[in-house]
Amino acid sequence: RDKMRSGKFLISAIEQRQNTLQQIADKLIGLQIDFLEKGVSKLHPLTMSQLGEMLELHETTISRAIANKYAHTPHGLVQMKYFFTTGYASADGMGVSNTSIKEEIAKIIDAEHAQKPYSDQKIVELLEEKANVGAIGSVKCCTTELAADHSP
């Protein structure tokens, strides 16, 4: 009897975990539809805490549920945690994720003249035009990171 009870409890726990993961995935699809349809530059800022509030789950529950889990997207296989990123408010009040900003900065750096690279301030100006956001701190961080990727 104890083994039957333990078996039923285990099955129930597995079903609950599957249901939690399904809830999370369904909500992420709705919240990140722009990313799924248009690409990385459209990834919206989202934290596990924010999603937890929406689903009435604790952020640690979300963290455990998505640990080592992947999602097959039109842009390839990505870790579920990829959907969670901080960001900045754009001039129109919409959020812009750090991932989106990094992608825009990478495009700017790729387009610059190798002999005369842009200053951080110039990148901020170009970013404000393209992404409608300006954050000198993120530009300095990202340009340092991206410069290492582009060095010979």
Side-chain angles (χ1 to χ4, degrees):
R1 285 193 166 164
D2 285 343
K3 289 185 179 183
M4 281 294 281
R5 197 174 309 128
S6 294
K8 287 181 181 180
F9 178 77
L10 179 61
I11 289 169
S12 173
I14 291 170
E15 287 175 349
Q16 184 175 356
R17 179 161 286 203
Q18 286 177 330
N19 290 337
T20 300
L21 189 57
Q22 186 66 52
Q23 271 187 297
I24 292 167
D26 290 344
K27 194 67 168 179
L28 284 173
I29 289 169
L31 294 170
Q32 298 291 10
I33 193 71
D34 289 340
F35 159 74
L36 296 170
E37 292 177 346
K38 299 173 186 167
V40 176
S41 65
K42 298 300 180 183
L43 188 65
H44 298 292
L46 180 67
T47 64
M48 288 184 202
S49 178
Q50 290 169 323
L51 185 64
E53 286 179 25
M54 292 176 212
L55 296 175
E56 297 180 358
L57 297 170
H58 196 275
E59 65 185 286
T60 57
T61 302
I62 293 172
S63 179
R64 285 191 312 270
I66 67 166
N68 302 312
K69 304 292 186 307
Y70 293 81
H72 182 72
T73 73
H75 311 291
L77 196 63
V78 296
Q79 285 190 326
M80 295 280 290
K81 68 180 183 178
Y82 181 81
F83 293 101
F84 299 96
T85 179
T86 56
Y88 299 93
S90 62
D92 61 7
M94 297 296 292
V96 179
S97 75
N98 288 349
T99 307
S100 300
I101 291 171
K102 282 183 182 180
E103 183 179 86
E104 287 299 325
I105 293 171
K107 287 179 187 175
I108 291 169
I109 290 173
D110 286 342
E112 72 186 357
H113 191 279
Q115 303 302 330
K116 191 176 179 188
Y118 296 131
S119 66
D120 285 350
Q121 184 58 45
K122 179 64 176 175
I123 293 173
V124 168
E125 292 167 10
L126 293 169
L127 188 61
E128 285 175 337
E129 291 172 17
K130 287 184 171 214
N132 207 14
V133 65
I136 191 70
S138 68
V139 169
K140 285 184 180 181
C141 170
C142 294
T143 53
T144 302
E145 187 178 313
L146 293 169
D149 293 343
H150 286 80
S151 61

